[in-house]
Amino acid sequence: MSLVINSLSKHFGEVTALNNISLEVPQGCFVCFLGPSGCGKTTLLRIIAGLEQPDNGEITLNNKNLSQTHASNRNFGVVFQSYSLFPNMTALTNVGYGLRCRRLPKPDIITRSKEMLALVQLQDQADKLPEQMSGGQQQRVALARALAPDPSLLLLDEPLSALDAKVREELRHEIRAIQQRLGVTTIMVTHDQEESLVMADLIVVMNEGKIEQTGTPKSLYEHPETTFVADFIGGMNLLPVRIENGAAYFGDTPVTLAEKTATQNGEGKIGVRPEALTLSAPTNDTAANHIPCEVKSITYLGNLTRVFVSPAAHPELKVTVELHGQSPVPSPGEHLALSFAPEALRLLT
Ligand SMILES: Nc1ncnc2c1ncn2[C@@H]1O[C@H](COP(=O)(O)OP(=O)(O)O)[C@@H](O)[C@H]1O
Ligand SMILES: [Mg+2]
C-alpha cells in the first residue's frame, strides 16, 4: 500500500488552503502533518479522507486514482479532535458502527468489537455511554471504532489536543504501540512538534498551504533546510551573518561552517541549537567561532540550565545556551564568548 498525492491544490474563496502539495506515504508508516494553525493540515487530511474535493491534483492508492471513490468506500478509519462518539450508544456499540455499515453478521460484530475494546484496554467499559467516560477513554473508543473495520489507512486529526497533558502523553505511546502492532499506515495531524517527534516515522512540515520539508524526526532536527523548520522543530538560535567571498561573518567574527558555504555575497542566517553552544572566556573579537557576548539572565531547570546572552555585535538578539549536568553556570553581567563547533551550524534560507 502506498498513498501518493500529486500536485494537490485547494482554495476557499480568496484563501489558498493548499498550494501544490505532492507527497508519498509508504506502507506501514506513521506520518505526521505538522504545522501552525491554519496551514492546511486538516484540509489535506479531509481531502485524503474524501470529505473534501481538491481543485486540482490527484490521490492514488496502490496506483488506483481515488477521485471517483466516495469517502464511505475508501475503507479509511478517521478520528477527529472532538470525541465525536454517538452519545446514545455504548462503547461497544460505538466500536461496532463501521462493522454494521458493512453488514457483517451480528456475532462477528460483537466478537470484533470486544477485541477492539480490549486492544485499547477498555474491555471493562463496554456498556458505558460516552458521557460516563473520561476524554481519554472516549478517544480510545473512537480509535477502536476507526480500527475495527481493518482500514487500509488510519487518519487522525489532532486526536490528543483536547486532553490534559498526562493523558495526552500516555495516549501518544499507546497509539504508536497499537499502530506498530497492527502495521496500519497512519497519518496524524498535529501542531505539537514534540508529539510529532515522539510518534512519527516521517514528519511533513507544512506552512501556509505548502510543504516546507519532509523527513524523519532526526533528520529534520539535525538538518533543517529553512528558517521555518529550524524554528518550529526544537529551539534554534538564528544568527544574522554577512557572506563575503564564501566566508561568513557575524559582526567582525569569522564563522566557519562545516556544510555548504554560500556562493552569493549578501545577508544570510545561520542556525545553532541551544545545546550546541558553550560559553568560554572572552577572546579578541576576531577569533573564529568565538562571539563576544554578555550574560543577561539565567533559568535553572533542574537537569539543565538556560543561559540567555546578548552578542556584543547584535545586542538586540537574545541567544539561548543550554548547559547540562555539571557545567559551571555564569552570572548575569559577565562578559564571555559564545563558541560552537562548525558541524553544529546550519546555513538557512
Ligand atoms: N470550509 C472552509 N471554508 C472557508 N475557509 C476554510 C474552510 N476550511 C478551511 N478554511 C481555511 O483554509 C485554511 C487552512 O485551514 P485548515 O486546513 O483547517 O488548517 P489547519 O488544520 O492547519 O489549522 C485556513 O485559512 C482556514 O481558515
Ligand atoms: Mg486543523
Side-chain angles (χ1 to χ4, degrees), residues 48-51 53 64-76:
I48 295 169
L51 301 170
Q53 291 306 310
K64 181 180 177 284
N65 192 326
L66 287 181
S67 60
Q68 300 305 316
T69 311
H70 189 263
S72 57
N73 295 325
R74 292 190 184 192
N75 190 32
F76 295 168

Side-chain angles (χ1 to χ4, degrees), residues 32-79:
C32 272
F33 295 165
L34 173 69
S37 175
C39 73
K41 306 179 297 292
T42 293
T43 304
L44 182 54
L45 199 79
R46 287 176 55 83
I47 291 175
I48 295 169
L51 301 170
E52 196 86 64
Q53 291 306 310
D55 299 339
N56 290 300
E58 55 173 30
I59 301 178
T60 61
L61 184 69
N62 295 332
N63 300 317
K64 181 180 177 284
N65 192 326
L66 287 181
S67 60
Q68 300 305 316
T69 311
H70 189 263
S72 57
N73 295 325
R74 292 190 184 192
N75 190 32
F76 295 168
V78 188
V79 177

Side-chain angles (χ1 to χ4, degrees), residues 41-42 157-158 189:
K41 306 179 297 292
T42 293
D157 191 352
E158 309 242 12
V189 161

Side-chain angles (χ1 to χ4, degrees), residues 237 239 241 248-250 253-258 270-280 287-292 311 319 321 337-346:
N237 293 299
L239 307 176
V241 287
Y249 296 87
F250 179 86
T253 306
V255 175
T256 326
L257 295 151
I270 52 172
V272 57
R273 299 280 179 202
E275 70 273 18
L277 287 169
T278 52
L279 290 166
S280 53
N289 292 9
H290 280 74
I291 294 176
V319 177
V321 183
L338 272 172
S339 50
F340 38 80
E343 297 74 36
L345 302 180
R346 303 285 163 256

